[in-house]
Amino acid sequence: MTSYHKPDEKTLQGLKDIANKLRILSIKATCASNSGHPTSCCSMAELMSVLFFNTMRYKADDPRNQCNDRFVLSKGHAAPILYAVWAEAGYLKESDLLNLRKIDSDLEGHPTPKLQFVDMATGSLGQGLGAACGMAYTGKHFDKSSYRVYCMLGDGECAEGSVWEAMAFASHYQLDNLVAIIDCNRLGQSEPTSLQHDTETYRKRCEAFGWNTYVVDGHDVEELCKAFWQAQQVKGKPTCIVAKTLKGKGLKDIEDNLNWHGKPIPKDRTEALLKELESLIQVPNKTLCPELPKDDAAPADLSPILLPSPPAYKKGDKVAPRRAYGVALARLGQSSQRVVALDGDTKNSTFAETFKKAFPDRYIECFIAEQNMVGVAMGCATRDRTVAFASTFAAFLSRAYDQIRMGAVSQTNVNLVGSHCGVSIGEDGPSQMALEDLAMFRAIPTCTVFYPSDAVSTERSVELAANTKGMCFIRTSRPDSEVIYSPDEKFEVGVAKVLRQSDKDHVTVIGAGVTLHEALAAADMLASEGKNIRVIDPFTIKPLDASTILTSARATGGRIITVEDHYKEGGLGEAVLSAVGEEPGIVVTRIAVTGIPRSGKPQELMDLYGISAKYIANAVRQTFAN
């Protein structure tokens, strides 16, 4: 076994000097912006110095190189010290740090991937470790590369359950290329943390979760060098370094005192404190350069990923869209090694298991931990290393909404798939019925929302999502549905399909998923009475094909009826309303689920909540009567 070589005294002094430089730069930046978290930066200065200038291997002039070690700042409020590190490494100019938090600077209050050295936006606490798990899993199992992943957590955020979901995941998958560092500085925002400096309890908890754990003095660079070296030797377990630190370390009368969180140093005290820190720097101009990484990860292949052949369904076949999702993903997996799938122990319901059977090495079981599943998926997708699809019941994605929201800030390209939507799932009842999911994903600025209505359009949704920039959500229905499109039908994001039309259409009816089939059944019923309606499949709810809807509405006397297996708030009806809202003479009647549903057979429930064919037909007859 390789033995530890303690760094020489010059190197150790250099690391101490860098730590104090990082403190100085953090204070200057937060003073310039008159906001920020200098005391949270000061507690982790030695940790950052040792990590970036002794432990990590990376190309300082190419921060997003695929071979570099990864760093996730889960305690995102300490952004100024991350920026200071990259100034010390020569990537940023020190003068740029004084633009912290300004409207025209990408050095924002919390880190975002507008910066090349940031993979995941953080700041909503408790999320960094899940993303780091995704990066580490990708490095170990997909890239099969030597890069390592480091994640810096605050002690306060360890109260978040998502941290422990990630801890369980990392030990289960023996992610020995992952190191979590807990900056245990005792003080939260408004009062001390629950454990304060009880590092022994942190150690026991981490060990109980299956992590190799070291408790260290977070201000002792020699001890830190050794701990990070030891972590590299450990096989079969992730490592957690619990670093006992002092918030505001090095700042007289501020160090380890409450009520300094998120406050810049007062102007009348800054000069004296900076002088004190500068006096500790012994060799001001010594530069320590990071070691370069091994060149053992290939650049990402960004070529389009297409289905190897058209969907193998015939019109009239009965296939559940959720089942078609699994088939589509497995077929897409044949076209590209980059396609990976994740699920939260629902793979035999979402049909992610079809992909798992075809490509077991590219499937990640995340168990019943949806927040972590979404975080891991986003971590897998960073630096375009994978095209990640994560699936569960759509209702359970609401649990991960904060991760989803932060995914937009992270510019993630992750694809989320929610099955079992609406009352049409039947007997399982309201706890399993997604009735808010369209509202949830429509509110995400970077999200494309697919709502396929048959097996062919589901396969094309999956293919399009794999090639669409930004987050994608695919809503897959549970019931078997008739195939209404031929295998060679072309689909595009933001382009609707008009399925029934004539010169005598009286109303435009827009349905999606199960309600599209109900609308078609209603059209047949009404046709036998001599009443014609136009039926539209929107295909994507966001972006919505406003021009097709407007053209149809004008051709049908300005009358639109929307019908959806979703609550009224934020769903298909509201999407249509916002698309036509400024057009005079258009009236939108919305049919949607109201109230909390109950168990029952799918058809019974669709009748009970008024979204079935006969209720659509009644709504159309009403417009005739009017």
Side-chain angles (χ1 to χ4, degrees), residues 478-608:
R478 183 177 188 273
D480 286 342
S481 303
E482 189 177 323
V483 174
I484 52 179
Y485 295 109
S486 61
D488 54 1
E489 183 79 32
K490 295 275 184 285
F491 287 88
E492 294 173 63
V493 171
V495 179
K497 300 284 181 186
V498 181
L499 295 179
R500 296 283 169 88
Q501 65 178 324
S502 72
D503 296 338
K504 300 180 188 137
D505 295 333
H506 185 75
V507 186
T508 295
V509 177
I510 305 170
V514 291
T515 61
L516 179 68
H517 295 272
E518 296 297 319
L520 292 169
D524 293 340
M525 274 183 218
L526 291 160
S528 66
E529 302 167 17
K531 299 181 175 80
N532 289 349
I533 64 171
R534 190 162 297 198
V535 178
I536 293 180
D537 170 9
F539 182 58
T540 54
I541 310 299
K542 181 184 174 184
L544 192 69
D545 185 352
S547 66
T548 295
I549 291 169
L550 281 169
T551 303
S552 296
R554 290 190 192 109
T556 57
R559 292 176 287 270
I560 298 176
I561 295 172
T562 62
V563 55
E564 60 192 304
D565 196 358
H566 186 277
Y567 288 137
K568 257 187 182 174
E569 292 78 11
L572 171 64
E574 288 198 353
V576 170
L577 267 178
S578 56
V580 303
E582 290 174 17
E583 291 292 315
I586 293 180
V587 176
V588 180
T589 302
R590 292 179 294 145
I591 304 174
V593 177
T594 51
I596 302 295
R598 52 175 300 117
S599 291
K601 291 189 169 63
Q603 197 57 52
E604 291 175 334
L605 287 163
M606 290 172 73
D607 285 338
L608 182 62

Side-chain angles (χ1 to χ4, degrees), residues 87-408:
E88 182 64 25
Y91 183 74
L92 295 175
K93 294 195 191 91
E94 277 191 21
S95 57
D96 290 344
L97 304 185
L98 301 179
N99 296 320
L100 176 72
R101 295 175 167 233
K102 290 187 179 155
I103 190 77
D104 55 354
S105 169
D106 287 340
L107 302 180
E108 298 194 58
H110 294 75
T112 79
K114 289 174 192 168
L115 300 161
Q116 289 292 302
F117 52 83
V118 176
D119 290 301
M120 291 294 301
T122 51
S124 183
L125 292 172
Q127 294 189 23
L129 190 58
C133 283
M135 295 175 197
Y137 192 101
T138 298
K140 186 168 180 170
H141 296 290
F142 303 147
D143 283 337
K144 297 181 170 56
S145 168
S146 61
Y147 65 76
R148 294 172 64 77
V149 182
Y150 296 88
C151 180
M152 179 75 69
L153 298 102
D155 48 355
E157 71 179 300
C158 292
E160 290 279 6
S162 53
V163 169
W164 301 97
E165 287 183 14
M167 294 289 275
F169 177 95
S171 66
H172 177 75
Y173 287 112
Q174 301 181 351
L175 299 180
D176 48 22
N177 57 343
L178 174 64
V179 178
I181 305 108
I182 300 176
D183 175 21
C184 188
N185 67 20
R186 190 179 80 82
L187 299 175
Q189 175 172 324
S190 62
E191 65 172 89
T193 60
S194 58
L195 291 178
Q196 299 198 43
H197 271 150
D198 182 2
T199 51
E200 193 54 23
T201 297
Y202 282 108
R203 184 182 66 76
K204 286 176 182 167
R205 287 182 185 179
C206 295
E207 287 177 349
F209 271 79
W211 285 55
N212 170 55
T213 307
Y214 305 118
V215 174
V216 297
D217 175 351
H219 299 305
D220 184 331
V221 295
E222 188 183 331
E223 205 178 330
L224 294 175
C225 289
K226 186 170 184 182
F228 284 123
W229 178 86
Q230 286 174 315
Q232 291 170 350
Q233 315 313 311
V234 173
K235 295 287 168 256
K237 280 184 172 188
T239 292
C240 184
I241 292 175
V242 179
K244 184 179 177 181
T245 62
L246 297 175
K247 197 161 185 171
K249 171 72 176 172
L251 309 181
K252 189 167 180 270
D253 299 331
I254 293 174
E255 180 181 299
D256 201 32
N257 282 339
L258 260 177
N259 297 322
W260 284 100
H261 182 92
K263 293 175 182 173
I265 308 302
K267 288 192 170 54
D268 60 347
R269 298 181 62 179
T270 306
E271 196 180 337
L273 289 171
L274 289 177
K275 269 194 179 143
E276 178 67 25
L277 289 170
E278 281 159 6
S279 73
L280 300 174
I281 297 173
Q282 292 188 16
V283 191
N285 301 319
K286 180 169 171 64
T287 49
L288 295 175
C289 294
E291 198 181 318
L292 292 175
K294 275 191 193 156
D295 206 2
D296 59 4
D301 173 10
L302 300 180
S303 50
I305 303 173
L306 305 176
L307 290 170
S309 57
Y313 306 104
K314 297 190 299 291
K315 278 190 177 184
D317 288 353
K318 286 284 189 104
V319 185
R322 62 177 175 139
R323 186 183 290 273
Y325 162 69
V327 172
L329 197 59
R331 282 170 20 81
L332 209 61
Q334 293 168 28
S335 299
S336 174
Q337 291 276 324
R338 290 174 64 223
V339 176
V340 302
L342 305 87
D343 199 280
D345 193 25
T346 55
K347 59 187 172 289
N348 54 348
S349 292
T350 60
F351 286 92
E353 69 175 4
T354 312
F355 181 90
K356 184 188 175 181
K357 283 172 186 162
F359 303 105
D361 294 346
R362 286 193 266 147
Y363 172 82
I364 307 177
E365 179 54 66
C366 295
F367 304 99
I368 303 167
E370 292 83 10
Q371 294 183 67
N372 190 58
M373 177 183 77
V374 171
V376 168
M378 293 195 297
C380 289
T382 55
R383 302 195 191 192
D384 295 313
R385 300 316 297 164
T386 71
V387 175
F389 285 81
S391 54
T392 182
F393 289 14
F396 305 151
L397 286 170
S398 60
R399 190 176 215 136
Y401 197 52
D402 196 21
Q403 277 77 1
I404 291 164
R405 180 185 73 84
M406 287 300 294

